[in-house]
Amino acid sequence: MSAVTIEPVSGGGLKWALADGLTVTKRNMLGMMRTPEIILYGAIQPIMFVLLFSYVFGGAINVPGAPGAKYYREYLMAGIFAQNVLFGLMWTSVGLAEDMQRGIVDRFRSLPMARSAVLTGRALADTALNAFTLLIMILAGLLVGWRVHSSVLEALAGFGLLLLLAFAMCWIGAFIGLSVRDSRTAQSAGMILFPVTFLSNAFVPTQGMPDWLRAIADWNPFTTVVSACRALFGNPNPVGNPGTLPGDHPALVSLGWAVLVLVVFVPLAVRKYRMATSR
């Protein structure tokens, strides 16, 4: 671990916790910059999905109201963006598991720092990494023909929603990383969310699913985020179940899901961290 000096901030309390969290964020981001393979391999998978679905499956999938491979690519990219953000939680789970396994967290405990800083710093650093890989995905999307057909503010709102999802997913990753014994298990555990991306409208419209499965897919948080981003980007966005809350107000439902994840998993991750560091 690179040397990091953390000094208590006069006044303590929230100001101290925020300062310590930003210091740990810097430590984690420096570690990422020294191992660029993390960013490289994190970007390869979504790029492969873009190419695979755009040029292999895209010609065989028609989007209602917008047929053709070109329109499918615009339909696809919001799903790829959200998938990349969702899988970003594995960076958090693996990173925390490695820190626990190597005893780095125990070294943090010996420093005069807020305990919350370890988790906050990890979540913020991984959200920044998600933002960087999202930029790579935007460039890949532009190369295959994806375009934004809305205003700048709407587009920024879409990317902001994706980063909010990234931050929320980091806390699920933190809980997973603190619940397993090593980084390999943490990576495997994170893959349990893989079916969530396919039980959604990320790659195909939900209209072709059986009614009972479509109802589940339409309430899937991943579906609402993807639908909200498509609407904000001005991309093809066939509504799977119009007349319902997630169908008519996907952005509002997505914000609700993000808040719910934070309300549930922030306390769970903090509690798990206290249990793990009190042994």
Side-chain angles (χ1 to χ4, degrees):
M1 182 190 73
S2 58
V4 178
T5 301
I6 302 178
E7 299 178 355
V9 179
S10 59
L14 181 60
K15 184 178 179 181
W16 182 11
L18 290 174
D20 289 347
L22 291 176
T23 301
V24 177
T25 300
K26 180 180 178 182
R27 172 258 178 189
N28 291 331
M29 293 185 68
L30 287 174
M32 293 173 187
M33 292 174 62
R34 290 167 183 165
T35 53
E37 302 85 26
I38 295 176
I39 300 174
L40 175 63
Y41 290 116
I44 285 178
Q45 179 176 300
I47 290 176
M48 289 176 59
F49 269 92
V50 171
L51 298 177
L52 180 66
F53 279 89
S54 295
Y55 297 107
V56 178
F57 300 135
I61 301 175
N62 285 325
V63 179
K70 177 181 181 296
Y71 293 100
Y72 178 73
R73 290 170 198 153
E74 294 203 338
Y75 171 87
L76 171 70
M77 287 310 302
I80 296 293
F81 293 154
Q83 183 193 53
N84 187 57
V85 164
L86 181 68
F87 287 161
L89 69 86
M90 285 190 288
W91 295 330
T92 307
S93 60
V94 171
L96 270 178
E98 287 182 345
D99 285 351
M100 293 290 293
Q101 190 176 7
R102 297 174 181 173
I104 294 176
V105 172
D106 290 331
R107 295 173 66 181
F108 278 139
R109 290 176 60 200
S110 66
L111 297 173
M113 61 182 289
R115 285 195 172 189
S116 62
V118 175
L119 299 182
T120 304
R122 173 61 62 179
L124 290 175
D126 290 342
T127 301
L129 179 58
N130 269 290
F132 182 78
T133 57
L134 184 59
L135 177 60
I136 295 176
M137 291 301 95
I138 292 171
L139 296 176
L142 292 173
L143 288 175
V144 300
W146 172 75
R147 295 293 184 270
V148 173
H149 302 288
S150 59
S151 67
V152 174
L153 289 179
E154 288 175 316
L156 291 177
F159 292 123
L161 184 61
L162 288 169
L163 292 179
L164 176 62
L165 174 66
F167 183 70
M169 290 298 104
C170 285
W171 289 96
I172 297 180
F175 178 73
I176 293 174
L178 294 168
S179 301
V180 298
R181 296 184 177 181
D182 55 59
S183 58
R184 289 178 298 179
T185 307
Q187 185 172 14
S188 299
M191 293 301 294
I192 62 175
L193 292 175
F194 197 87
V196 173
T197 63
F198 286 96
L199 187 59
S200 71
N201 65 347
F203 304 112
V204 295
T206 60
Q207 285 89 330
M209 300 179 182
D211 291 342
W212 64 272
L213 188 61
R214 186 175 68 179
I216 297 173
D218 288 340
W219 275 97
N220 182 346
F222 193 75
T223 294
T224 60
V225 170
V226 172
S227 293
C229 288
R230 285 178 181 145
L232 291 168
F233 296 151
N235 296 149
N237 186 32
V239 178
N241 199 359
T244 63
L245 185 60
D248 295 343
H249 305 284
L252 180 63
V253 175
S254 299
L255 289 173
W257 278 120
V259 171
L260 180 61
V261 168
L262 290 171
V263 168
V264 172
F265 280 94
V266 169
L268 284 177
V270 171
R271 181 173 180 270
K272 182 64 70 172
Y273 175 74
R274 288 176 177 170
M275 293 173 59
T277 56
S278 62
R279 297 170 185 171

